[in-house]
Amino acid sequence: MLVAPLRSISQNSDWPRPPACLPANRLDDPPEGVRVAVAGLVILRQRPGTAKGVIFVTLEDETGIVNVVVWRKIYEQFRRAVISGRLLKVTGRMQRAHSVTHVIAEEIEDISGMLDVLVRGEQLG
C-alpha cells in the first residue's frame, strides 16, 4: 500500500522535487502575479456547479498544501492531467485574495510517474 510510505516521506526535508518548483511553505515569498511552478500530490479536485466551469485542485507537498485554480480553457487543454494525475506540476500566476493564496494554472503536467521515486526515497537527477 502506497499511503504509509508517502506519508513518511512527506515529512522528510530531502523529499525529491521536480526542478524549479516552489515548496508550499514558500508561497508567501513571491509577489502577487509572479509566475511560479509548484508540485504535489492531488488530495482534492472540486468542480462546484456554481463556479462556471472552474476547477479547484488542492496539492500537497512535504511542506503543506497549494490551492490551484484551473479555468475552463486550461482544463480543456490539460484535461487528462487534471482528471487522472495523482502527482501534478502546475505552472501559473500567484494570486492572493482574502488571506488565501492560489496558483492560477497556466500549464499542468502529470508527473505521476515520479511516485515510484518518492516511495523509494531517491533524489531526482
Side-chain angles (χ1 to χ4, degrees):
M1 179 174 243
L2 292 179
V3 175
L6 286 175
R7 287 281 178 221
S8 63
I9 289 171
S10 71
Q11 305 303 320
N12 184 344
S13 63
D14 295 329
W15 187 79
R17 300 199 59 76
C21 287
L22 189 64
N25 68 351
R26 302 248 347 257
L27 287 176
D28 289 335
D29 295 351
E32 172 101 12
V34 75
R35 196 165 195 246
V36 297
V38 294
L41 293 168
V42 177
I43 60 171
L44 181 68
R45 290 177 184 88
Q46 290 182 308
R47 190 177 194 168
T50 57
K52 299 181 182 174
V54 177
I55 295 175
F56 300 97
V57 177
T58 304
L59 303 178
E60 181 179 23
D61 71 8
E62 74 279 17
T63 67
I65 63 167
V66 179
N67 298 307
V68 178
V69 176
V70 182
W71 293 105
R72 182 186 306 247
K73 180 180 174 184
I74 299 299
Y75 169 71
E76 290 169 2
Q77 187 176 355
F78 298 101
R79 179 185 185 104
R80 181 179 211 114
V82 173
I83 290 173
S84 63
R86 297 179 313 169
L87 181 66
L88 297 178
K89 178 180 178 183
V90 177
T91 304
R93 303 269 173 198
M94 296 294 304
Q95 181 185 64
R96 292 185 184 87
H98 310 290
S99 73
V100 177
T101 300
H102 293 80
V103 175
I104 308 300
E106 296 174 349
E107 298 174 32
I108 302 170
E109 182 182 354
D110 182 357
I111 57 172
S112 300
M114 298 174 80
L115 284 170
D116 288 340
V117 175
L118 285 174
V119 172
R120 289 193 308 263
E122 297 174 8
Q123 289 295 323
L124 301 176

